[in-house]
């Protein structure tokens, strides 16, 4: 994904910023072509303050064409933008950020290290697709790179964006290809005049990437080549993301894997927008490179490793500048406990759902089954991460004008809800959550979808995060799952998606649904609500069905909910 507040804004920026460069007087831009080891020609653009002398250089690999760099760290750096093969004005076939693109990364860094405008100290900047490219390439030696700043971006493309929980995330996937294709089309005239054959390569690469996503519904070797495969570089990486981001899971997973190399995690916003009055992490990113590339003793390396800007009830208020702050030195925050809340058939009197159930710390003794229709749900309500990516495309303004679109009131009547009693005091919640759901279906395969919301005293429910799981993917890798150190409960299940295990129609099985990390302050008097509902209409639909869950009794369903110390 390209940073920005809307799909159209992203395309407009890619087309309009053809001569953009970091701010400052007397900027120099130098366009050059780099020939990869397989003979493919890639477009690069170097920008810096005149004269272009040897300086630390920040490199970004982008599929969004000329002028699509995303960081200005000041005049003490040069900036190299590389257009990924098969995109923009680079030749070759786009390989969905796979092995050939990864090889290009290592080759260009080796070349850049020895150029007269480089002092031998390279940093890598990435936002979304350009961050994904680097996560995918860390198993290769990256010459002369001293540090990286990666904003948003997937750590595992399958799990973090295109098939979370094994459920096809259809619309964002199509949007990514459209955003990559637009600048490639805009720069098509240059490519056609320079190398007519390459235009066909570009079309074949982008088309092939889209078809490959659909042709690989399980996590096979094609996907493994497009995810983290180890790290031989041990770079200090600053990860920046937002709790509502369309790719938010990736940064948290990356930090957990790479924290031993000096990684920091700043959760302030990315595609989902940053709170008013903040810079979205830009200042910290500049300081990161200033320290690791120029040796400036600015203390960025000794600041808290994890910095959280959490919602204070809902996303709209967060964007308006109302947030709760929390810092720590690990993720999840040390001392976090996961409250076990059982789903209960006892009515709460607060929801207009099919059942209006409760979340209870005590497990109900009697087992009860409750059913709901597994039909597509309203994505602006049930799909907060995908909704945030189109916030600037009108969704944010629409949410202010018509709040019910991003609240749960319109979606809730077709699902099952479970609500706590009002909190007696403020509750800070940050971390992954897990839903243990015993479910059967009238379909051979169904998409399980769950939403956590903050319910205000007036009854409005604001979605915070969602979890999803395809019923034919019930298995969990316990060795890679995150467990509560106090209880041993699996609080972040690591699903197994390399094969399908369909249930028989009507067969009740236990599913562990991973809910993406949430960060929210539940004020005193507010409630927590879980909705189990049909999958978001932004996902590839499964067959209509009636799903039935078991609540109460020794095998009843429960939610494991994170609470900060």
């Amino acid at each position: 994904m390209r940073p920005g507040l809307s799909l159209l804004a992203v395309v407009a920026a890619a087309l309009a910023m053809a001569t953009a460069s970091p701010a400052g007087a007397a900027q120099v831009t130098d366009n050059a072509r780099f020939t990869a080891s397989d003979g493919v020609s890639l477009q690069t653009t170097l920008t810096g303050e005149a004269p272009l002398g040897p300086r630390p250089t920040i490199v970004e690999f982008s599929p969004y064409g000329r002028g699509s760099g995303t960081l200005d760290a000041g005049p003490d750096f040069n900036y190299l933008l590389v257009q990924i093969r098969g995109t923009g004005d680079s030749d070759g076939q786009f390989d969905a950020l796979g092995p050939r693109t990864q090889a290009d990364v290592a080759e260009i860094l080796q070349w850049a290290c020895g150029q007269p405008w480089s002092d031998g100290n390279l940093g890598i900047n990435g936002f979304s697709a350009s961050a994904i490219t680097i996560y995918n390439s860390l198993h290769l030696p990256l010459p002369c790179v001293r540090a990286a700043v990666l904003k948003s971006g997937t750590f595992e493309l399958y799990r973090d964006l295109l098939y979370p929980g094994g459920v096809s995330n259809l619309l964002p996937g199509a949007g990514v290809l459209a955003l990559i294709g637009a600048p490639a089309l805009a720069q098509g005239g240059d490519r056609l005049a320079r190398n007519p054959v390459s235009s066909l390569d570009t079309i074949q690469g982008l088309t092939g990437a889209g078809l490959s996503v659909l042709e690989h519904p399980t996590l096979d070797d094609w996907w493994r080549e497009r995810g983290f495969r180890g790290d031989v570089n041990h770079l200090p990486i600053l990860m920046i993301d937002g709790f509502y981001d369309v790719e938010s899971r990736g940064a948290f997973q990356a930090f957990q894997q790479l924290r031993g190399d000096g990684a920091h995690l700043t959760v302030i916003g990315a595609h989902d927008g940053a709170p008013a009055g903040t810079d979205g992490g830009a200042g910290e990113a500049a300081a990161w490179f200033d320290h690791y590339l120029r040796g400036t003793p600015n203390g960025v390396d000794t600041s808290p490793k994890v910095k959280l800007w959490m919602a204070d009830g809902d996303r709209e208020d967060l964007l308006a500048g109302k947030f709760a702050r929390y810092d720590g030195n690990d993720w999840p925050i040390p001392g976090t406990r996961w409250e076990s809340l059982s789903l209960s058939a006892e009515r709460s009197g607060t929801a207009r759902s099919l059942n209006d159930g409760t979340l209870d710390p005590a497990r109900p003794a009697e087992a009860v089954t409750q059913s709901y229709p597994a039909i597509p749900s309203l994505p602006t309500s049930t799909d907060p991460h995908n909704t945030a990516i189109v916030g600037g495309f009108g969704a944010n303004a629409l949410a202010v004008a018509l709040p019910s679109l991003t609240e749960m009131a319109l979606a809730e009547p077709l699902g099952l809800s479970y609500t706590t009693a009002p909190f007696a005091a403020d509750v800070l919640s940050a971390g992954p959550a897990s839903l243990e759901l015993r479910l059967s279906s009238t379909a051979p395969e169904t998409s399980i979808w769950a939403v956590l919301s903050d319910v205000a005293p007036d009854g409005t429910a604001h979605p915070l995060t969602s979890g999803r799981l395809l019923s034919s993917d019930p298995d969990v890798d316990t060795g890679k799952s995150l467990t509560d150190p106090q209880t041993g409960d699996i609080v972040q299940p690591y699903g197994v998606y390399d094969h399908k295990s369909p249930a028989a129609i009507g067969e009740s099985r236990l599913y562990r649904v991973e809910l993406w990390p949430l960060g929210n302050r539940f004020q005193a008097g507010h409630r927590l609500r879980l909705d189990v509902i049909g999958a978001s209409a932004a996902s590839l639909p499964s067959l209509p069905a009636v799903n039935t869950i078991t609540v109460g009794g020794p095998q009843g369903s429960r939610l494991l909910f994170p609470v900060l110390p």
Side-chain angles (χ1 to χ4, degrees):
M1 286 281 186
R2 168 75 162 91
L5 295 180
S6 76
L7 302 181
L8 290 184
V10 163
V11 175
L15 301 181
M17 294 174 61
T19 60
S21 62
Q27 296 291 322
V28 177
T29 298
D30 182 19
N31 292 300
R33 303 201 68 83
F34 172 83
T35 302
S37 59
D38 63 349
V40 168
S41 175
L42 307 179
Q43 177 66 40
T44 75
T45 302
L46 177 71
T47 304
E49 191 169 277
L52 278 175
R55 298 188 185 99
T57 300
I58 298 173
V59 187
E60 183 163 359
F61 296 84
S62 171
Y64 298 105
R66 60 172 70 97
S68 57
T70 62
L71 179 69
D72 176 6
D76 294 317
F77 300 92
N78 291 328
Y79 301 84
L80 181 69
L81 178 70
V82 182
Q83 297 180 36
I84 291 172
R85 68 170 50 218
T87 71
D89 193 24
S90 285
D91 295 346
Q93 292 191 10
F94 179 64
D95 71 344
L97 311 183
R100 187 54 251 185
T101 295
Q102 296 159 22
D104 292 341
V105 169
E107 292 177 16
I108 284 180
L109 292 172
Q110 181 69 66
W111 166 76
C113 184
Q115 294 303 299
W117 37 260
S118 168
D119 71 352
N121 293 291
L122 303 180
I124 297 179
N125 180 64
F127 192 154
S128 199
S130 49
I132 296 170
T133 303
I134 303 309
Y135 283 133
N136 291 1
S137 304
L138 289 176
H139 62 287
L140 301 175
L142 304 181
C144 297
V145 176
R146 313 303 180 202
V149 174
L150 303 180
K151 191 170 187 177
S152 189
T154 67
F155 193 61
E156 299 176 90
L157 187 57
Y158 183 96
R159 297 172 188 271
D160 299 341
L161 179 63
L162 296 178
Y163 280 92
V167 178
S168 175
N169 205 12
L170 180 65
L171 290 186
V176 168
L177 282 180
L179 292 174
I180 293 173
L185 179 63
Q187 295 176 225
D190 296 340
R191 185 188 308 102
L192 190 63
R194 178 179 48 76
N195 184 358
V197 175
S198 182
S199 296
L200 180 59
D201 286 341
T202 300
I203 295 171
Q204 290 177 336
L206 292 172
T207 302
L211 292 175
S212 293
V213 169
L214 296 175
E215 291 170 353
H216 296 272
T218 59
L219 207 169
D220 57 14
D221 287 342
W222 189 85
W223 287 107
R224 292 188 184 95
E225 289 180 334
R226 289 155 179 83
F228 177 76
R229 286 187 283 163
D231 176 25
V232 300
N233 298 281
H234 305 293
L235 305 174
I237 301 177
L238 171 63
M239 294 102 174
I240 302 176
D241 214 336
F243 281 111
Y244 292 89
D245 191 81
V246 69
E247 300 170 84
S248 71
R249 182 183 185 275
F252 293 96
Q253 294 300 106
F255 175 80
Q256 289 175 322
Q257 184 71 39
L258 303 173
R259 55 193 163 194
D261 296 326
H264 282 208
L265 174 65
T266 295
V267 188
I268 192 172
H271 298 95
D272 50 329
T278 73
D279 67 356
E284 188 173 6
W288 193 263
F289 285 128
D290 207 33
H291 175 74
Y292 284 106
L293 270 63
R294 299 182 64 243
T296 303
N298 54 22
V300 69
D301 56 323
T302 58
S303 65
K305 294 180 180 179
V306 176
K307 301 174 184 176
L308 308 179
W309 276 255
M310 304 189 299
D312 198 12
D314 73 333
R315 176 175 173 262
E316 287 72 34
D317 283 349
L318 173 67
L319 290 177
K322 183 183 178 186
F323 52 79
R325 283 281 289 110
Y326 202 102
D327 293 341
N329 280 315
D330 204 353
W331 177 266
I333 298 293
T336 298
R337 70 182 191 277
W338 280 264
E339 297 283 354
S340 176
L341 300 173
S342 292
L343 281 59
S344 170
E346 182 179 351
R347 294 180 64 83
S348 75
T350 64
R352 297 182 177 89
S353 61
L354 294 174
N355 68 322
D356 183 26
T358 57
L359 287 172
D360 195 329
R363 186 187 295 270
E366 182 179 355
V368 175
T369 58
Q370 299 184 317
S371 301
Y372 68 98
I375 57 177
S377 61
L378 181 67
T380 55
S381 297
T382 63
D383 200 346
H385 303 99
N386 280 336
T387 299
I389 187 63
V390 293
F393 190 47
N396 291 343
L398 202 57
V400 174
L402 299 171
S404 60
L405 287 179
T406 54
E407 297 166 358
M408 290 299 295
L410 297 177
E412 206 166 65
L414 292 177
L416 302 174
S417 65
Y418 304 89
T419 313
T420 64
F423 292 116
D426 287 2
V427 173
L428 291 172
S429 175
S434 176
L435 175 62
E436 297 177 356
L437 198 66
R438 192 162 292 279
L439 178 142
S440 64
S441 180
T442 60
E445 185 176 76
T446 189
S447 296
I448 303 168
W449 200 276
V451 182
L452 292 184
S453 300
D454 181 315
V455 184
D458 65 2
T460 56
H462 303 277
L464 303 171
T465 190
S466 62
R468 55 207 121 177
L469 182 65
L470 201 62
S471 65
S472 55
D473 294 316
D475 299 329
V476 169
D477 185 334
T478 56
K480 293 184 177 180
S481 297
L482 180 68
T483 58
D484 182 346
Q486 302 294 324
T487 65
D489 292 328
I490 293 177
V491 295
Q492 186 178 17
Y494 192 86
V496 176
Y497 304 119
D498 58 5
H499 64 277
K500 299 295 182 184
S501 301
I505 291 177
E507 178 187 359
S508 181
R509 299 198 299 193
L510 176 66
Y511 296 94
R512 298 182 187 272
V513 182
E514 176 190 4
L515 290 116
W516 280 13
L518 73 150
N520 186 65
R521 173 167 57 193
F522 293 83
Q523 297 180 29
H526 287 228
R527 303 168 185 256
L528 166 69
R529 179 173 295 161
L530 165 71
D531 285 281
V532 182
I533 198 164
S536 162
S539 299
L540 189 67
S542 51
L543 291 173
V546 174
N547 293 345
T548 300
I549 68 175
T550 300
V551 301
Q555 296 184 325
S557 303
R558 67 170 178 162
L559 172 70
L560 294 167
F561 171 67
V563 177
L564 290 177

